[in-house]
Amino acid sequence: MGRKRTKPGKIRLTEVAELAGVSPITASRFFRNPEALSLTKRVRVESAAKELGYVPNLAARALASQRTEVIGVLIPSLTNNVFSDVLRGIYDAVDGSRYSVQLANTRYSILQEEKLLRLFLAQKPAGLIVTGIDQTPESRSIMESVDCPIVQLMETGPDPVDMMIGFSHSDACRAAISHLFAQGCRRIGFLGARMDPRVQRRFDGYVAIMKEASLYDPRLVVTTPLPTSVTLGGALLADLLTKAPDTDAVFCANDDLALGVLFECRRRHISVPEQMAISGFNDLEFMASAVPTLTSVRTNRYEMGRDAATMVIEAIEGRRPEQRVVDLGFTVMERQSSMRRT
Amino acid sequence: MGRKRTKPGKIRLTEVAELAGVSPITASRFFRNPEALSLTKRVRVESAAKELGYVPNLAARALASQRTEVIGVLIPSLTNNVFSDVLRGIYDAVDGSRYSVQLANTRYSILQEEKLLRLFLAQKPAGLIVTGIDQTPESRSIMESVDCPIVQLMETGPDPVDMMIGFSHSDACRAAISHLFAQGCRRIGFLGARMDPRVQRRFDGYVAIMKEASLYDPRLVVTTPLPTSVTLGGALLADLLTKAPDTDAVFCANDDLALGVLFECRRRHISVPEQMAISGFNDLEFMASAVPTLTSVRTNRYEMGRDAATMVIEAIEGRRPEQRVVDLGFTVMERQSSMRRT
DNA sequence: ACCACTATTGACAGCGCTACCAAGCGATTG
DNA sequence: CAATCGCTTGGTAGCGCTGTCAATAGTGGT
């Protein structure tokens, strides 16, 4: 004999089936596809399960069925407010479904992402949500050869692996710069920290529109690979003003930087927006209540997470969405920090 | 016969064992306890596994061993910066170990927490990290009857279920109020949002020290069950000034509120700290770079998460920590927003 | 040389559940 | 009235791994 037998107190599917007077396989079906049972058996199994307090053993289920009910989520950071909003959306959509979330943090490394991807896929997740469209070629081909639904998050672009939900960072940045143009700003600086692919694309949008207006000047650009922070926003503005003292506006690649810029302007007695217009990006909650209120680009982060999870779940259950690529758009929230003409 | 046989391409432990020329059980031991093997077999199994690209099937392992390598984490919110720092600590400590994190969000509901706890424990996690010390009696007895290590996070208190790591919110609040006393403040308001148990204990500390100084006045207290935000900080200050126009300082139960108060003071041309001293709580990054810089109580959130996860892992592996209750303390970061006498 | 003892290794029998196939059954059809 | 169909139900045989125990090999003491 192998080992000591199962602890007698343990409720297995067999016990439920016995109490309900059906075969184990029928009881099993009840939990996976109740409609397949006749009404009488369905009721009997249900009450038996409730009476015994049965909880399915997920490990056994996964082993026998070669599938799990786990949705893997790969995000680059847990700290960034942007991702916590996205995550909240994902968890809200997944809670209440039969699925659960397995979260992993790539720390902005696509090599780490590739590693985690392999790890996830070895456990046969039901679905996958990944951040961005800049996977390694290996990651890409791993994802393409896998048979679970995948959503790429945060950006839109050509050539989705499977599904995609996000918006155009480049266009969003262009819209913010256009707004600054309309306010009469010409020497518009670009501040960026942690140049991840999303920030890079915002930067591309900035360069393009500035060049189109023949206003591009490399001295107006200050970026750093350091992680973003409010303090850093102040430091980057200081750099910018050293390189280009005639700067009349700054586009900050995220809102933390914008807040830091606002504080730095106060410190230096630079009036906002008269001497310096400011635009942030993401429209975090505090932007609307700063003094002056801060212009930003609203992105639909919560919705992005929620809809991504919903798309994955629908696809798992065989209901593929009509459109594989969803653009959630953005809105330039024009506020005091950039309103020169009113 | 039951079903179609395993897809031939699939690498199982058996294949690894075969290639290495050992029995499957020996190969199995290699992955769980390499030291138990002789050097030769260890090397042979290792290279065989690498050559075949073997990845263990966790479902099978969990089923056979009746254990998992999952650490369940229950937190009340994904949005709050405080928890994202804690989570980052947890993930940092768990990444690189054999364990993985299963995260669930209680949404500040202890009933939800109880439900999730049952769900987790049914899957036999290797360890558990829960937030706070205010579980329902049922949750409490469930946790006590379970045999995996458990860490309670965020607070210290008597009577841990198992282990505990945090600090005294009441003492931390008292320390901040003492500092405001030392600066000559007497009419010190308390602003609180989302009155979760931690905030409640900060409030208890406030009431106690104010009463000791015979300065307690209910008109100085403004709280709301609404979730916290910067905007809300401004609104709460407005309420406070209506009820108690002679307020000369505010203690904000978190930093978002403090930032909102700062902005509201600017809006109303109330000078900080001369007319109004401000203290926040948690010491988020932006506090040090606001203008004026904002006083806050630094809490060691990242360390809390990291150490909690480390304690759980150590305990799982049989190395119980000497002290079951760890107090990580706090530091009042005295900054411009409260420095009246310099 | 013999024995107790430890360090390695292997055989066996499941862990709890589900995929696959087939059988039972009443209803429908030619 | 037999053949057919669709729906429900059950039997069988694993899914890939590990706990338990026994067997074997190696060690040093007397």
Side-chain angles (χ1 to χ4, degrees), chain A residues 58-233:
Chain A
L58 299 188
R61 176 179 290 176
L63 180 59
S65 69
Q66 303 280 60
R67 297 181 285 98
T68 63
E69 289 175 345
V70 170
I71 296 174
V73 177
L74 287 172
I75 59 166
S77 162
L78 284 167
T79 319
N80 194 319
N81 285 306
V82 170
F83 295 113
S84 57
D85 287 338
V86 172
L87 265 187
R88 197 161 44 86
I90 292 176
Y91 274 90
D92 277 359
V94 169
D95 286 1
S97 78
R98 61 200 300 184
Y99 301 94
S100 66
V101 171
Q102 182 69 51
L103 181 65
N105 182 351
T106 65
R107 297 152 200 263
Y108 289 102
S109 153
I110 55 172
L111 266 62
Q112 179 72 9
E113 183 181 50
E114 186 182 319
K115 212 178 108 195
L116 290 167
L117 205 52
R118 289 184 204 279
L119 208 68
F120 267 4
L121 293 180
Q123 309 313 324
K124 300 190 191 279
L128 210 56
I129 297 176
V130 302
T131 303
I133 58 180
D134 299 275
Q135 288 78 26
T136 64
E138 289 75 18
S139 295
R140 176 92 195 182
S141 67
I142 294 172
M143 290 194 293
E144 274 164 354
S145 67
V146 118
D147 67 347
C148 72
I150 300 179
V151 174
Q152 288 168 290
L153 201 67
M154 301 307 288
E155 295 180 69
T156 52
D159 199 20
V161 170
D162 181 6
M163 293 173 286
M164 194 177 259
I165 182 166
F167 63 95
S168 163
H169 291 253
S170 160
D171 289 354
C173 178
R174 290 178 76 111
I177 305 293
S178 289
H179 163 68
L180 294 173
F181 282 166
Q183 300 300 313
C185 306
R186 288 299 173 263
R187 297 287 288 166
I188 304 172
F190 180 98
L191 301 186
R194 169 95 76 194
M195 297 301 286
D196 76 20
R198 267 74 58 197
V199 176
Q200 186 61 48
R201 274 185 265 280
R202 286 170 220 159
F203 180 60
D204 296 344
Y206 164 85
V207 172
I209 194 169
M210 292 294 278
K211 284 192 169 160
E212 285 163 21
S214 302
L215 291 170
Y216 179 70
D217 176 350
R219 284 171 298 186
L220 289 167
V221 174
V222 181
T223 63
T224 164
L226 292 173
T228 182
S229 73
V230 177
T231 309
L232 189 62

Side-chain angles (χ1 to χ4, degrees), chain B residues 135-257:
Chain B
Q135 287 78 26
T136 63
E138 288 76 19
S139 294
R140 176 92 196 184
S141 66
I142 293 171
M143 289 194 294
E144 275 165 354
S145 67
V146 118
D147 66 348
C148 73
I150 301 179
V151 173
Q152 290 168 288
L153 202 67
M154 302 306 288
E155 297 181 67
T156 53
D159 198 20
V161 170
D162 181 5
M163 293 173 287
M164 193 176 260
I165 182 165
F167 63 95
S168 163
H169 290 253
S170 160
D171 289 355
C173 178
R174 290 178 76 112
I177 305 293
S178 288
H179 162 69
L180 294 173
F181 283 165
Q183 299 300 314
C185 305
R186 289 297 172 267
R187 297 286 288 166
I188 304 172
F190 180 98
L191 300 187
R194 169 94 76 191
M195 297 301 286
D196 76 20
R198 268 72 60 196
V199 176
Q200 186 62 47
R201 274 184 265 280
R202 286 171 220 157
F203 180 60
D204 295 344
Y206 165 85
V207 172
I209 194 170
M210 290 295 278
K211 283 192 170 161
E212 284 162 23
S214 303
L215 291 171
Y216 178 70
D217 176 351
R219 284 170 299 185
L220 289 168
V221 175
V222 181
T223 64
T224 163
L226 293 174
T228 182
S229 72
V230 177
T231 309
L232 189 62
L236 295 181
L237 179 67
D239 276 15
L240 175 62
L241 291 178
T242 307
K243 290 168 67 184
D246 60 339
T247 303
D248 60 7
V250 277
F251 171 81
C252 302
N254 68 59
D255 288 341
D256 288 349
L257 298 180

Side-chain angles (χ1 to χ4, degrees), chain B residues 269-286:
Chain B
H269 307 289
I270 296 169
S271 64
V272 176
E274 293 75 12
Q275 293 171 277
M276 181 70 73
I278 304 176
S279 172
F281 196 96
N282 278 325
D283 197 32
L284 299 187
E285 182 267 334
F286 62 74

